[in-house]
């Protein structure tokens, strides 16, 4: 928040001042945890995890996806997105009232059509991603398939952190009374996340800025090479 406010011209917003302000106002994060991943029969079996100790050097090298729940007054909704792991940019997204595979396939197709085909595509082991339809789609693009280890949420940590931002900084702070309003809310979030929200892990730049630049800031390269 300190870095964000300074980018907007508020030079007084030092990190210590913001921390003290949060403490005075009693602002702190909440951590509700729900499990939505359900393993399928996996006709192709589980694919290996390919990202361990891998240096991601450019946009579209690795894309990843996942599904997160959104609890609404009319029932549970499910949000999926394809994210470029180099820049954290959200490339495409879909909202569904069921956990069927169709909306995941549409999301991946849109990302590939708009931004190109990655070298590696990473998912968890949910039934949507181990289904024959999903695996055949990725194989048709000659993409290397990577899957998180069982019970290892940190294997897809950038996507999980995106869900955290979506919930704590957007969904929980806003009201929506219909699916139409929720879709607009999500569209606004994607624009905000890509174009305005700075990330400490991106040297306080936005995903769009890093995606356009096509190279990590030097500080990040040094950190990853250490």
């Amino acid at each position: 928040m300190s870095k964000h406010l300074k980018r907007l011209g508020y030079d007084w917003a030092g990190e210590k001042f913001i921390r003290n302000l949060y403490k005075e106002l009693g602002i702190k994060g909440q951590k509700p945890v729900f499990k939505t991943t359900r393993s399928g029969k996996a006709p192709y079996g589980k694919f290996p995890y390919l990202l361990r100790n891998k240096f991601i050097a450019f946009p579209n090298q690795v894309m990843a996806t996942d599904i997160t729940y959104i609890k609404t007054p009319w029932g549970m909704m499910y949000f999926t997105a394809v994210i470029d792991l180099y820049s954290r940019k959200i490339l495409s997204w879909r909202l569904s009232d069921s956990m069927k595979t169709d909306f995941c396939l549409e999301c991946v197709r849109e990302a590939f059509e708009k931004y190109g085909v990655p070298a590696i595509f990473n998912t968890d082991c949910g039934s949507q991603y181990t289904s024959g339809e999903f695996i055949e789609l990725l194989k048709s693009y000659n993409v290397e398939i990577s899957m998180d280890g069982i019970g290892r949420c940190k294997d897809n940590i950038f996507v999980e952190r995106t869900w955290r931002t979506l919930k704590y900084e957007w969904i929980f702070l806003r009201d929506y009374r219909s699916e139409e309003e929720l879709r607009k809310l999500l569209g606004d979030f994607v624009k905000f996340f890509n174009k305005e929200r700075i990330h400490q892990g991106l040297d306080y730049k936005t995903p769009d800025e890093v995606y356009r630049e096509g190279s990590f800031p030097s500080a990040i390269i040094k950190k990853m090479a250490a």
Side-chain angles (χ1 to χ4, degrees):
M1 180 58 69
S2 172
K3 297 288 186 179
H4 176 67
L5 289 174
K6 284 186 176 181
R7 278 168 61 103
L8 296 178
Y10 299 102
D11 296 331
W12 50 264
E15 183 176 339
K16 184 176 180 181
F17 177 84
I18 295 299
R19 287 185 182 277
N20 289 336
L21 185 61
Y22 276 19
K23 185 176 181 180
E24 181 178 342
L25 296 175
I27 298 175
K28 58 183 179 179
Q30 301 297 318
K31 301 180 180 179
V33 178
F34 293 85
K35 182 179 179 180
T36 57
T37 299
R38 296 290 182 269
S39 297
K41 295 182 180 179
Y44 289 89
K46 182 190 178 302
F47 286 79
Y49 181 65
L50 304 178
L51 305 184
R52 187 164 289 108
N53 299 321
K54 187 172 189 63
F55 178 68
I56 302 175
F58 51 86
N60 295 357
Q61 180 182 356
V62 183
M63 294 181 187
T65 191
D66 196 6
I67 299 171
T68 191
Y69 74 94
I70 299 176
K71 191 174 182 181
T72 73
W74 60 90
M76 199 72 79
M77 299 292 290
Y78 303 94
F79 178 77
T80 187
V82 173
I83 296 174
D84 172 56
L85 295 194
Y86 173 80
S87 62
R88 321 283 178 87
K89 179 180 174 71
I90 298 174
L91 305 177
S92 61
W93 63 274
R94 288 291 188 280
L95 181 69
S96 175
D97 59 1
S98 76
M99 293 280 277
K100 293 180 180 179
T101 307
D102 293 354
F103 79 119
C104 300
L105 296 172
E106 291 175 3
C107 193
V108 172
R109 289 193 188 100
E110 181 183 336
F112 288 4
E113 290 171 4
K114 285 186 174 181
Y115 296 96
V117 178
I120 300 174
F121 197 89
N122 189 73
T123 73
D124 64 19
C125 297
S127 59
Q128 298 81 11
Y129 306 126
T130 56
S131 68
E133 291 175 292
F134 197 88
I135 298 300
E136 286 298 329
L137 174 66
L138 295 182
K139 284 187 171 184
S140 71
Y141 285 99
N142 295 318
V143 176
E144 285 193 82
I145 302 171
S146 171
M147 289 186 178
D148 302 342
I150 303 297
R152 289 188 56 84
C153 62
K154 289 186 178 180
D155 284 349
N156 211 9
I157 189 64
F158 288 157
V159 179
E160 296 295 338
R161 288 303 299 268
T162 302
W163 295 164
R164 180 185 177 90
T165 302
L166 168 65
K167 299 290 184 63
Y168 298 157
E169 297 184 18
W170 210 258
I171 294 293
F172 294 162
L173 303 180
R174 289 164 173 78
D175 188 26
Y176 47 89
R177 303 173 199 173
S178 67
E179 183 174 330
E180 182 180 357
E181 289 184 4
L182 177 59
R183 285 184 186 278
K184 183 181 184 305
L185 187 74
L186 292 169
D188 291 342
F189 167 76
V190 172
K191 291 178 182 177
F192 162 77
F193 186 87
N194 285 340
K195 298 178 181 297
E196 298 182 41
R197 192 188 188 282
I198 58 176
H199 295 254
Q200 183 177 7
L202 298 178
D203 199 23
Y204 297 104
K205 295 185 178 183
T206 68
D208 268 0
E209 289 171 344
V210 174
Y211 190 88
R212 285 195 304 269
E213 289 173 2
S215 62
F216 273 114
S218 58
I220 299 177
I221 294 178
K222 290 178 182 178
K223 181 179 179 181
M224 295 184 70

